[in-house]
Amino acid sequence: MSETYAFIEAEKTTHPVAFLCRLLKVNRSSFYAWLAGTQARGVRQAADEALAHEITVIHIASKHTYGAPRIHAELRRLGRQVNRKRVERVMREHGVTGHTRRKRRGLTRQAKKAVPAADLLGRNFTAQAPGTRLVGDITYIPTGEG
């Protein structure tokens, strides 16, 4: 919607605002409310840039590992009153992401001395008559070994 209002702002020297608002199907009062908030948006954007600089400094000091919760906690520890969701938004807008140093491991591991079962069918599961080649999968049955 901001693009629409910005277009109206740019074109209001050549066409009347009422005509542009009617053409783009927006309320004229909404355009003027957007126009009145320009200064507040500028102040908020400058504050977000300052916050982004602080976030970047903390992120670099953490060796690029801290995410939004830890950066928020660090900002609070330093005495900066800021909302966690705002920290998340600023980090997302500036491409700052936290990374875990933990190595993820799979839950199942193959035994080192395990020998695979012999393939007696040679991967040929077609049978000429019922009951000649019986195959099955019993991995869904829980056992005492896990």
Side-chain angles (χ1 to χ4, degrees), residues 24-70:
L24 297 172
K25 296 180 179 151
V26 295
N27 291 331
R28 200 169 41 163
S29 61
S30 298
F31 167 70
Y32 286 118
W34 174 83
L35 198 58
T38 304
Q39 184 179 4
R41 275 192 305 280
V43 170
R44 190 167 40 251
Q45 190 172 14
D48 281 350
E49 291 298 323
L51 179 63
H53 178 69
E54 290 181 52
I55 288 172
T56 305
V57 169
I58 293 171
H59 187 68
I60 290 171
S62 72
K63 299 179 184 174
H64 303 279
T65 58
Y66 280 8
R70 285 185 174 177

Side-chain angles (χ1 to χ4, degrees), residues 55 58-59 65-76 82-92 96-99:
I55 288 172
I58 293 171
H59 187 68
T65 58
Y66 280 8
R70 285 185 174 177
I71 288 181
H72 175 253
E74 185 70 18
L75 287 169
R76 295 293 298 254
V82 64
N83 191 341
R84 181 183 49 83
K85 291 182 181 180
R86 184 176 184 196
V87 172
E88 289 175 1
R89 178 181 53 81
V90 170
M91 286 178 68
R92 185 174 49 250
V96 179
T97 58
H99 298 285

